Amino acid sequence: SQNFGSLVVCRFFAGAFGAGCLAIGAGTNSDLWPPISRAAASAVFILAPFLGPAIGPPVGGFAVMAKGWRWTQWPVLMIGLAALIFGAFQEETYKKIILQRRARRLDIPPPPNPLPPGLARVKFLLFVTVFRPIRMLITEPIVAYFSIYTAFNFSVLFGFFDAFPLVFQGVYHFNISESGLTFLGIGLGCCIATGVFIMMDRLTYRKKTLAARAKGDMTPLPPEQRLHSAMLGSFLLPISLFWFAWTARE
């Protein structure tokens, strides 16, 4: 990029192509893990995109001081290439596609498609993927409130990332590399939170599931049973915000 416009366009495509991992990750975890074991796998998976903004600034800070700002992109390209090579040998996990491929390989009829044919299929997919989520957002209070709360948490988190250079460079006069090192605290917090979440899942969701199975009830627990960690985080979030704000002084 030689100007701001081309930088914005490249940034857009980087985000658009990178979003695929987050979009299909939950479905892949659902394919690979049963509900009783899914929390730990999902927690480690979700940890990765939060470790990126925590590890990136320290690496980028030293790269900028040594080689210039364009070198902040070379580590991303190197890691991306390694991930691409690793991902190229991943196998399909979606049951429907696996059955279709097996049918073609064995030259047998594929499993019946539950979707209606023709234009009705397009209308059905459009309703399920677009209109149904919008209707749930408007008519289901739990969906609306949880979405607002999650959006607020994400805005606070990424606002946090922007506030770190303002505080540590502007108030405490750190240089770029020193300011980048302060982000490691967020990474450490994410790792601790992941461990706490897995422990709480073992003590709540997994324990209750095993107790229900011992009585012969194989029905999965409702999703609300996974919210204990969020309840703990709802108290820690405002505490951390006040702590950071009140100590950011000359």
Side-chain angles (χ1 to χ4, degrees):
S1 302
Q2 302 301 322
N3 54 63
F4 181 74
S6 58
L7 181 64
V8 170
V9 172
C10 290
R11 179 80 173 184
F12 169 80
F13 283 114
F17 288 112
C21 301
L22 293 174
I24 67 174
T28 302
N29 284 323
S30 179
D31 293 337
L32 295 175
W33 304 94
I36 192 173
S37 304
R38 194 173 297 159
S42 298
V44 175
F45 170 77
I46 295 172
L47 173 64
F50 288 102
L51 282 183
I55 298 175
V59 176
F62 286 101
V64 168
M65 293 191 68
K67 292 289 187 178
W69 71 269
R70 292 183 184 275
W71 264 84
T72 59
Q73 303 306 306
W74 283 110
V76 178
L77 287 172
M78 296 172 188
I79 297 173
L81 178 61
L84 180 62
I85 295 174
F86 179 78
F89 298 97
Q90 298 266 330
E91 296 183 3
E92 179 62 63
T93 62
Y94 188 34
K95 180 180 178 180
K96 177 181 176 181
I97 302 299
I98 294 175
L99 293 178
Q100 290 177 348
R101 291 178 178 178
R102 186 181 69 173
R104 287 196 298 266
R105 185 175 67 253
L106 300 177
D107 196 21
I108 60 177
N113 194 332
L115 299 180
L119 183 60
R121 176 179 301 183
V122 177
K123 293 173 61 177
F124 177 80
L125 292 175
L126 187 64
F127 173 80
V128 170
T129 59
V130 178
F131 297 112
R132 181 183 291 176
I134 295 176
R135 187 186 67 180
M136 293 175 63
L137 190 64
I138 297 174
T139 60
E140 299 288 344
I142 183 62
V143 176
Y145 290 139
F146 194 78
S147 299
I148 294 172
Y149 180 71
T150 304
F152 172 75
N153 280 346
F154 270 93
S155 63
V156 168
L157 176 66
F158 290 103
F160 225 30
F161 292 154
D162 290 332
F164 267 51
L166 294 176
V167 171
F168 289 103
Q169 293 183 38
V171 177
Y172 296 107
H173 308 295
F174 285 18
N175 59 35
I176 294 178
S177 57
E178 293 171 341
S179 178
L181 291 174
T182 62
F183 285 83
L184 294 177
I186 295 179
L188 177 62
C190 290
C191 293
I192 295 175
T194 300
V196 171
F197 173 79
I198 294 175
M199 180 184 67
M200 292 184 66
D201 177 77
R202 296 276 178 173
L203 296 175
T204 56
Y205 188 92
R206 187 179 183 89
K207 184 177 180 179
K208 292 180 180 179
T209 299
L210 293 177
R213 289 184 178 182
K215 298 178 181 179
D217 184 4
M218 306 302 291
T219 306
L221 296 180
E224 290 79 7
Q225 291 293 331
R226 296 193 188 274
L227 291 179
H228 293 90
S229 299
M231 294 164 64
L232 175 62
S234 66
F235 290 98
L236 297 179
L237 178 63
I239 292 174
S240 65
L241 291 177
F242 280 107
W243 190 355
F244 180 80
W246 282 349
T247 55
R249 60 184 184 276
E250 295 289 348

